[in-house]
C-alpha cells in the first residue's frame, strides 16, 4: 500500500520478506546470485527478466534504498552509488558525449567544480558558470552543444537559495536537462522534480545517513534517463555496497524526524548568532534577513541544517574561533548528529583564488555550521564562549 506521506514511505517501503518473515530487512551480503538453470541464466543476462544477477548491477538492499528515495523525491527510478561524487560523475559520464557543454551555478560543491574544470575537459566537455544572482544571464550562455543546467540549492557553504522553478523553466524552454544536487535540503524539505528537474542527485553521506558513518550517493529521475545511467554504471562499477545500502535505507526511516530537529536547532543557532556583537552577518534561509527568504519559504518546507555566518575580524578571527571551540567538532562532513564547524577560507576552499571565493559568498570570516542534534543550549553555549574568547582588536581588518 502506498501513501502520500513521505514519512510513511520512508518507513514502509521494503523489499519482500524472506522465508524467515523478518520485520526489519536483512542485509544481503552477497556479490552474486544463482540461477535455476541455463535458460534462467540466459534470459536474465538478456534483460528479459528483472532480477538480481551480480551486486555491481543491483542488490536487494540498494533496491530498497533507491525505491525509498524515488518515493520521497517523486521519481520513477534511480541508481545508488558508492559516494555522492560517484553519483555526480556517473550521471554526467552516462548522459554527456564528447564536445558537450554544461551550464552550472558557480556556487557548487568544490569537487564537482574540479570535475567540471579538470576532468570532464579530457572529453572536451566544457562548463560555463553563472552567479546565483545572475539567472538572467543563463540564456546568453546557451550554445548549440549545451546539454545540461546544473545547480545546488541551498548552496555550500554560503547557504544561498536559487530559484528552482525559474531554472526549470529555462531548461524546459531550451530543451536542456535540468539536474539538481539536493543534498543540503533532502527530499523532506524540497523536491526539485516538482520544479522541473529531470534528475536529482544526493550525497547520501550527509543527512540521509545523518550519523557520519557511511559514504553513499544516489541519482533519481525518469526511467529513461536512469536506464542510461544504469547501463553506464553496471559497466564502470561505482555501485553502493549492500552494507552501506542497508545502513542508508534504515537511516531514511528517521530522516523526517531528524531533519525537523536539525532545522529547529539551526534556526535557534541562527537567531543567537544574529544577536551577537562579534558577528557581522548570518545566513540561514528561514531568517527574515536572508536575501532569498521569500524564495526559501516558497520552495523549502524548513530552513535546513546549515547556518553560515561572518565573524568580525576576517581570516585570523575565523582561525582563532575554530581553536576556541570546545564541544563541537572541527570536521569536513556535514549533516551529522554532531554539530560541525568549518572555516572554508582557511581550509576546504583555501586553494580557490580569492576572487572566485568571493563570487560564491566565501568571505575571509565566513564560518559554516552544520547544526547537529545536541541540545541547542549546549551548541549555543559553545559558540558563545568561542565568540567571546576572540580578541578582535588584534585583527587589522576588524570592523
Ligand atoms: C552538495 C554536495 N554534493 C556532493 C558532495 C559529494 O559527496 P560525497 O562526499 O558523498 O562524495 C558533497 C560532499 O560534501 C556535497 O556537499
Amino acid at each position: 500500500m502506498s501513501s502520500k506521506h513521505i514519512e510513511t514511505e520512508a518507513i514502509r517501503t521494503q523489499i519482500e520478506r524472506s522465508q524467515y518473515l523478518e520485520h526489519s530487512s536483512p542485509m544481503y551480503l552477497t556479490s552474486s546470485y544463482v540461477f535455476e538453470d541455463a535458460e534462467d541464466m540466459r534470459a536474465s543476462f538478456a534483460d528479459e527478466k528483472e532480477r538480481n544477477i551480480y551486486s555491481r548491477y543491483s542488490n536487494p538492499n540498494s533496491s530498497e534504498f533507491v525505491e525509498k528515495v524515488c518515493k520521497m523525491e517523486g521519481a520513477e527510478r534511480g541508481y545508488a552509488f558508492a559516494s555522492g561524487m560517484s553519483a555526480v560523475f556517473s550521471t554526467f559520464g552516462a548522459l554527456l558525449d564528447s564536445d558537450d557543454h554544461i551550464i552550472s551555478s558557480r556556487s557548487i560543491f568544490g569537487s564537482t567544480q574540479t570535475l567540471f574544470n579538470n576532468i570532464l575537459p579530457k572529453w572536451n566537455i566544457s562548463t560555463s558558470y553563472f552567479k546565483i544572482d545572475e539567472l538572467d544571464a543563463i540564456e546568453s550562455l546557451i550554445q548549440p552543444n549545451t546539454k545540461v543546467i546544473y545547480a545546488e540549492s541551498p548552496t555550500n557553504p554560503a547557504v544561498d537559495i536559487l530559484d528552482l522553478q525559474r531554472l526549470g523553466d529555462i531548461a524546459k524552454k531550451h530543451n536542456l536537462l535540468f539536474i539538481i544536487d539536493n543534498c543540503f535540503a533532502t527530499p523532506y524539505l524540497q523536491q526539485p522534480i516538482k520544479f522541473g528537474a529531470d534528475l536529482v542527485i544526493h550525497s547520501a553521506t550527509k543527512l540521509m545517513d545523518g550519523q557520519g558513518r557511511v559514504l553513499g550517493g544516489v541519482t533519481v529521475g525518469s526511467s529513461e534517463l536512469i536506464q542510461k545511467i544504469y547501463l553506464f554504471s553496471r559497466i564502470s562499477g561505482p555501485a553502493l555496497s549492500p552494507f552501506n545500502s542497508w545502513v542508508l535505507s534504515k537511516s531514511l526511516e528517521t530522516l523526517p524526524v531528524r531533519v525537523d530537529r536539525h532545522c529547529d536547532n539551526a534556526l535557534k543557532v541562527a537567531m543567537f548568532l544574529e544577536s551577537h556583537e562579534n558577528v557581522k552577518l548570518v545566513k540561514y534561509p528561514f531568517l527574515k534577513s536572508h536575501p532569498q527568504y521569500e524564495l526559501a519559504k516558497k520552495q523549502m518546507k524548513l530552513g535546513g541544517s546549515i547556518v553560515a555566518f561572518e565573524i568580525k575580524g576576517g581570516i585570523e578571527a575565523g582561525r582563532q574561533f575554530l581553536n576556541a571551540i570546545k564541544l563541537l567538532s572541527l570536521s569536513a562532513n556535514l549533516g551529522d548528529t554532531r554539530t560541525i564547524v568549518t572555516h572554508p577560507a582557511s581550509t576546504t576552499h583555501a586553494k580557490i583564488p580569492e576572487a572566485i571565493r568571493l563570487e560564491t559568498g566565501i568571505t575571509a570570516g565566513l564560518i559554516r555550521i552544520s547544526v547537529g542534534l545536541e541540545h541547542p543550549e549546549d551548541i549555543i553555549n559553545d559558540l558563545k564562549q568561542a565568540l567571546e574568547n576572540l580578541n578582535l582588536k588584534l585583527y587589522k581588518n576588524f570592523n
Side-chain angles (χ1 to χ4, degrees), residues 184-258:
F184 264 42
T186 80
Y188 179 58
L189 300 184
Q190 168 178 286
Q191 293 150 329
I193 289 174
K194 285 190 182 151
F195 303 107
D198 296 292
L199 290 167
V200 179
I201 300 179
H202 283 278
S203 164
T205 316
K206 312 300 174 201
L207 286 152
M208 284 196 172
D209 172 30
Q211 288 142 91
R213 301 166 298 183
V214 299
L215 292 179
V218 61
T219 301
V220 299
S222 70
S223 293
E224 191 193 335
L225 293 171
I226 296 294
Q227 177 64 8
K228 291 185 184 167
I229 294 169
Y230 163 71
L231 292 175
F232 177 89
S233 305
R234 122 179 195 167
I235 298 302
S236 55
L240 184 63
S241 73
F243 177 80
N244 285 10
S245 303
W246 183 87
V247 170
L248 290 168
S249 181
K250 290 304 284 178
S251 299
L252 286 182
E253 295 183 15
T254 57
L255 182 86
V257 287
R258 285 187 286 106

Side-chain angles (χ1 to χ4, degrees), residues 44-47 51 53-54 56-58 79 81 227-239:
S44 302
F45 273 87
D47 290 329
R51 50 108 72 217
I53 298 175
Y54 189 60
R56 168 153 49 81
Y57 303 2
S58 69
Y79 188 83
F81 298 90
Q227 177 64 8
K228 291 185 184 167
I229 294 169
Y230 163 71
L231 292 175
F232 177 89
S233 305
R234 122 179 195 167
I235 298 302
S236 55

